[in-house]
Amino acid sequence: MYVGFLICVCAFTFQWSAVFSEKAKRPHIIFVMADDLGWSDIGYHNISSAVKTPNIDRLARAGMKFTNYYVQAVCTPSRGALMTGKYPIHIGMQHFVINSTSPWGMPKDVPTLPEKLRQLGYSTNLVGKWHLGFFDWDYVPTARGFDTFLGIFMGEGDFWNHTKYGYLDMRRGKEPTWSYTGKHSTDVFTQEAIDIVNRHDQQKPLYLLLSYTAPHTPLQAPQTDIDKYKSVVDMNRRIYLAMIDGVDQGVGKLVDACKRKGMWNDTLFVFVSDNGGHPGFGGGYNWPLRGYKSTLWEGGVRVPGFVLGSMIQKSGGEINDLIHVTDWYPTLIKLAGGTTKDDNIDGVDQWDVLSKGTPSTRQEILVNIDYAPDLSGEQYSPRGFTYYSGAAIRVGDMKLLHKCPNGSWYKLPEDGNQAPTEERFTKERIPYFEFALYNVTADPEERYELSTQYPDIVEKLFKRLKYYNSTAVKSRLQPEDPESLRIAAKYGRWEPWKNEGEVTSTAGSIYCWLTSSHWFIIYLYFFVN
């Protein structure tokens, strides 16, 4: 009996030591997402000699670059797709972005990537941009799976003062922090990511989402970085390139920190953009791809990206398979030792594609479905954005667009071209396309429209669009709520306004009140709306 007991103990000990050993093998995951980085805005694409990203280029050359990586056309839908593994039409996030006064967010009844990774033993950390809702405390990052958070709730803000319309938007966890005033957000977020790496206990796997707010507007960068691009005459483009430069510097510093910590060989490193660039005032360009941020043309939804790590068997090449932002959810969860079989997701596990070069099982990508209720009464938000993008789908080589506004091509200012004006954007959105078909493998620039030549392909792809549309849930979009402005003015910072009684500590509120332009913003809000 004693011998039998010892055998059981030994078997139990061996079993659990194997489990712990397997856990120790799980890689750290560092996921870096740039904001509004266009197709031609990365050095390794060799499109613009003005773009300088030596650190990112070096990593991309050592890893595997994506040539057919698709995201959503604007920030909020892309981030929702990353977090849930679902197309935006299946979580009600298919229509534009969450504003500072939007009383809605990513649905609470859907599991998130950080929640799943935390259940698998990962330390989960978000640094930078959230943009998935903050009207209620149940929607903020630390309520949706992140152990730690330093960053902004909203989609953009002043890079130096960390304010939006004069009100503070910088948090550590749930607490507002004024301690970074005067420090550029890119530097703040880089240092926070480095600090997370430095203090991390390597007995536990790390998930770090470094979600830079650069190079998104407002265009602001340190003067020393701006001066590197004096040869670029267009000032918006010059500052934008300086902001990319800052991101590149940050990536280099973060990788160095991982190496000093002894974590780099056990880290899967991912670098992507959340959507395409916006030419002109936005400074970002997608040449030679057609379109821009907020459109379903390739320039809005096909973006730079690569993956790197010792667990990637192939390196120094390209992945030409179709990959979508939803695919990270099942891919990373599988890598972490988990399963997504009960999550009803749209993402496809791409781990064998990334690590071994195995052909992908993904043959189609729903780009989006967001039809205008009345095409003749289509409305636009300011500065060239479309409120309704229409619908698009890619199946194999072919891409079908349905009821989409027109898109054009925007050449690089550093090559002597004039930056587009808002009037040009408005003019070039017409005409709308009932159907437009392209072979985006042979014609990635979408110059040769094929719908009349291949009506059978149009019919086949449109049938798939109709199927997806039949599965869509209603958009979560809600009328903007001026109560958010009242609370922001009251406390001098943006707060979840549905739970005013739970407002965080008010230290420093008087300072924000005195330094904010609250009366002007309240007037501006009601005047514009």
Side-chain angles (χ1 to χ4, degrees):
M1 183 175 180
Y2 179 71
V3 173
F5 174 75
L6 284 177
I7 292 173
C8 289
V9 169
C10 290
F12 179 82
T13 303
F14 176 80
Q15 179 182 8
W16 277 100
S17 64
V19 170
F20 289 131
S21 177
E22 182 61 30
K23 281 188 176 182
K25 294 179 182 177
R26 291 178 299 169
H28 307 298
I29 301 169
I30 295 181
F31 197 106
V32 179
M33 180 178 279
D35 198 353
D36 291 7
L37 183 71
W39 184 259
S40 48
D41 299 335
I42 199 78
Y44 66 76
H45 276 168
N46 297 315
I47 297 171
S48 168
S49 60
V51 175
K52 307 295 183 185
T53 54
N55 294 300
I56 293 172
D57 296 349
R58 173 174 48 83
L59 295 170
R61 285 193 298 269
M64 295 296 289
K65 299 184 287 289
F66 304 133
T67 62
N68 284 289
Y69 178 65
Y70 284 82
V71 292
Q72 303 307 131
V74 286
C75 311
T76 292
S78 263
R79 292 161 200 278
L82 170 67
M83 291 290 172
T84 66
K86 292 176 178 284
Y87 288 136
I89 64 164
H90 292 148
I91 51 175
M93 305 187 78
Q94 61 268 48
H95 183 73
F96 213 57
V97 300
I98 295 176
N99 296 315
S100 55
T101 55
S102 297
W104 61 283
M106 184 171 61
K108 292 193 297 183
D109 59 348
V110 177
T112 69
L113 175 59
E115 286 173 346
K116 299 279 284 191
L117 291 176
R118 185 162 64 182
Q119 292 168 6
L120 293 167
Y122 273 73
S123 166
T124 57
N125 308 267
L126 171 60
V127 178
K129 177 172 172 175
W130 174 236
H131 210 191
L132 289 171
F134 74 99
F135 75 105
D136 186 298
W137 286 114
D138 289 343
Y139 290 81
V140 303
T142 50
R144 303 310 309 272
F146 286 104
D147 296 326
T148 72
F149 168 63
L150 175 73
I152 69 172
F153 282 161
M154 292 186 283
E156 65 175 5
D158 188 285
F159 280 83
W160 297 106
N161 296 325
H162 317 299
T163 61
K164 174 83 175 211
Y165 303 141
Y167 303 126
L168 180 74
D169 182 23
M170 179 65 82
R171 299 267 166 171
R172 180 174 292 282
K174 290 185 176 181
E175 291 293 321
T177 174
W178 293 265
S179 60
Y180 299 106
T181 300
K183 299 177 182 178
H184 196 274
S185 294
T186 298
D187 297 332
V188 170
F189 297 148
T190 295
Q191 187 58 54
E192 177 68 11
I194 290 172
D195 290 345
I196 288 172
V197 167
N198 287 340
R199 66 174 178 256
H200 182 68
D201 179 359
Q202 295 189 59
Q203 297 304 309
K204 189 173 187 177
L206 169 71
Y207 173 60
L208 168 60
L209 173 55
L210 175 52
S211 181
Y212 280 116
T213 49
H216 193 293
T217 53
L219 300 180
Q220 297 172 316
Q223 191 61 47
T224 53
D225 289 340
I226 296 173
D227 289 343
K228 297 178 184 179
Y229 300 91
K230 289 181 178 180
S231 63
V232 179
V233 176
D234 182 80
M235 184 54 71
N236 286 338
R237 181 63 170 168
R238 185 187 303 178
I239 300 174
Y240 179 92
L241 293 175
M243 295 172 78
I244 296 174
D245 195 306
V247 170
D248 183 74
Q249 294 174 47
V251 167
K253 293 175 182 177
L254 177 58
V255 170
D256 287 344
C258 290
K259 291 178 178 178
R260 288 193 301 271
K261 181 76 172 182
M263 291 174 54
W264 183 244
N265 290 337
D266 300 316
T267 295
L268 179 75
F269 186 89
V270 180
F271 180 90
V272 294
S273 178
D274 64 342
N275 47 249
H278 199 294
F281 76 88
Y285 287 77
N286 309 295
W287 176 260
L289 301 182
R290 185 175 185 174
Y292 53 89
K293 173 183 177 178
S294 84
T295 74
L296 302 187
W297 302 93
E298 293 292 276
V301 295
R302 192 196 290 207
V303 298
F306 65 87
V307 62
L308 172 66
S310 61
M311 61 292 302
I312 304 294
Q313 295 180 15
K314 296 181 66 177
S315 61
E318 295 180 342
I319 297 174
N320 298 313
D321 300 76
L322 294 181
I323 298 178
H324 189 255
V325 61
T326 56
D327 297 341
W328 293 115
Y329 183 95
T331 301
L332 297 181
I333 290 171
K334 178 182 179 179
L335 181 63
T339 178
T340 58
K341 65 178 182 179
D342 298 324
D343 290 345
N344 189 27
I345 59 173
D346 298 300
V348 173
D349 174 15
Q350 301 274 23
W351 181 242
D352 286 345
V353 181
L354 304 183
S355 62
K356 302 176 183 178
T358 304
S360 175
T361 59
R362 180 181 278 286
Q363 297 300 312
E364 71 177 27
I365 289 175
L366 175 67
V367 182
N368 198 29
I369 299 176
D370 187 30
Y371 292 118
D374 179 1
L375 194 59
S376 64
E378 167 75 356
Q379 292 181 333
Y380 300 96
S381 64
R383 309 177 84 182
F385 287 98
T386 59
Y387 273 130
Y388 294 94
S389 59
I393 188 170
R394 177 171 174 179
V395 179
D397 298 326
M398 308 304 291
K399 177 182 174 184
L400 179 71
L401 298 99
H402 182 230
K403 295 187 180 298
C404 291
N406 191 18
S408 189
W409 299 265
Y410 300 94
K411 295 182 178 180
L412 300 171
E414 54 263 38
D415 292 339
N417 302 290
Q418 185 175 2
T421 62
E422 294 180 32
E423 290 76 15
R424 178 180 170 185
F425 285 128
T426 301
K427 181 179 180 181
E428 290 180 342
R429 285 196 294 263
I430 308 300
Y432 287 83
F433 288 83
E434 181 65 20
F435 290 108
L437 180 71
Y438 298 89
N439 182 328
V440 289
T441 299
D443 176 28
E445 299 175 24
E446 294 173 300
R447 293 184 181 272
Y448 305 103
E449 206 280 306
L450 304 172
S451 61
T452 57
Q453 294 178 239
Y454 300 104
D456 54 329
I457 298 179
V458 172
E459 182 179 359
K460 176 184 176 182
L461 270 59
F462 187 47
K463 184 177 180 180
R464 291 298 294 163
L465 269 181
K466 288 193 289 186
Y467 161 73
Y468 278 115
N469 200 32
S470 72
T471 70
V473 301
K474 183 179 179 182
S475 170
R476 296 176 66 81
L477 186 73
Q478 298 290 322
E480 301 301 320
D481 187 355
E483 178 69 3
S484 64
L485 282 166
R486 185 186 72 81
I487 296 298
K490 179 178 179 180
Y491 294 100
R493 60 177 180 264
W494 295 98
E495 288 279 344
W497 63 95
K498 292 297 183 182
N499 310 88
E500 186 184 353
E502 300 177 25
V503 166
T504 52
S505 62
T506 57
S509 293
I510 296 176
Y511 167 80
C512 279
W513 171 269
L514 293 174
T515 57
S516 66
S517 52
H518 50 280
W519 294 115
F520 170 74
I521 296 306
I522 292 172
Y523 166 79
L524 180 64
Y525 177 85
F526 287 107
F527 177 80
V528 171
N529 290 277

